Amino acid sequence: TAKDLDQKIGDGLSQATQLQLAGDTEAAIRILDQQEALARPSKHTGLAYILVQKAGWLRELGRSNEAQSALEEAEATCLAMPLQIAPMPGLRMEQGIVARQAGDLAKAESRLKEAQSLVKGTQFEVVTMSDILANLSSVYSDQGRLEDAQTALLNALEYDQKTGDRRAFASNLNMLGLLYLHAGDRKTARLYLTKSREIAAAFGLA
């Protein structure tokens, strides 16, 4: 039934995420492949979410051609869905990351700001905004806009505190410390970097 399919795809996405967080991205992608096979025949709404996530993980593994194919299909799938249920913020964030890696900082900023706008005020804001802001901070840093980069990370840290995501909190503290170090403020940099290290050590983060 449709309800059973929803449950299977939801469980599969959760399992894949846990594997990826544990460091086994290859296994996570294999789970996504299985979920994609379930979702594709009926064009289940989960297909767009699967493709967006798959594109990001393939990119992280350096499988750029496969990642680009998944991203292109994800966009076509999202555009065919009602806006309120399409994973457009995730899609735009992934497109922003890809654009930054390609050196197109203007496009990267535009895509990430669109992701920020799309998720603002939705039920997904708290759990996704930190990632969007952290990536936007990286774009600002590349553009030499250090104050904007710092502000974006400070905002990201506020979301990390709401979610209790220690991995994101430690990572964003580290990024913020490096920004202050780059700006020549070694005292502030040391505070953020030390806090990041303490959290990483306390929670066994690599």
Side-chain angles (χ1 to χ4, degrees):
T1 66
K3 187 175 181 180
D4 289 336
L5 184 59
D6 290 345
Q7 185 68 47
K8 286 181 180 179
I9 290 175
D11 289 347
L13 284 168
S14 178
Q15 183 184 1
T17 300
Q18 292 303 313
L19 284 168
Q20 195 272 339
L21 289 173
D24 195 347
T25 304
E26 292 280 6
I29 290 174
R30 287 196 292 272
I31 297 295
L32 287 186
D33 286 339
Q34 295 170 9
Q35 303 314 302
E36 184 181 346
L38 286 174
R40 193 174 289 282
S42 62
K43 297 183 179 179
H44 189 278
T45 54
L47 179 60
Y49 290 88
I50 292 165
L51 291 169
V52 170
Q53 187 62 83
K54 188 176 179 181
W57 290 347
L58 286 167
R59 172 183 51 75
E60 290 174 7
L61 291 175
R63 294 159 62 179
S64 55
N65 290 338
E66 294 172 79
Q68 187 60 38
S69 295
L71 196 57
E72 289 171 0
E73 185 178 0
E75 180 166 33
T77 304
C78 285
L79 292 175
M81 295 169 65
L83 182 60
Q84 65 269 25
I85 62 172
M88 292 301 292
L91 174 68
R92 293 307 186 214
M93 180 173 70
E94 182 60 30
Q95 289 174 327
I97 294 169
V98 171
R100 177 183 175 239
Q101 290 181 338
D104 190 342
L105 298 181
K107 182 178 179 180
E109 181 180 354
S110 174
R111 289 289 185 267
L112 289 166
K113 281 188 172 179
E114 185 177 351
Q116 184 180 14
S117 177
L118 286 168
V119 81
K120 187 74 174 178
T122 73
Q123 59 181 323
F124 305 109
E125 178 180 352
V126 173
V127 295
T128 60
M129 188 65 87
S130 175
D131 283 345
I132 294 170
L133 289 168
N135 282 291
L136 191 55
S137 175
S138 294
V139 173
Y140 289 149
S141 180
D142 290 348
Q143 294 171 331
R145 297 161 58 184
L146 294 184
E147 288 188 10
D148 288 337
Q150 290 165 350
T151 299
L153 282 175
L154 288 169
N155 290 338
L157 289 169
E158 292 179 5
Y159 285 99
D160 295 335
Q161 290 178 319
K162 292 176 183 177
T163 62
D165 187 339
R166 298 299 180 182
R167 185 183 300 274
F169 196 47
S171 176
N172 289 331
L173 283 169
N174 180 65
M175 287 178 64
L176 190 57
L178 293 175
L179 281 175
Y180 275 100
L181 185 63
H182 186 62
D185 186 346
R186 297 178 64 86
K187 182 177 180 181
T188 305
R190 181 180 292 277
L191 290 173
Y192 285 120
L193 292 172
T194 300
K195 184 63 175 177
S196 173
R197 184 183 62 188
E198 289 173 350
I199 293 172
F203 291 89
L205 304 174

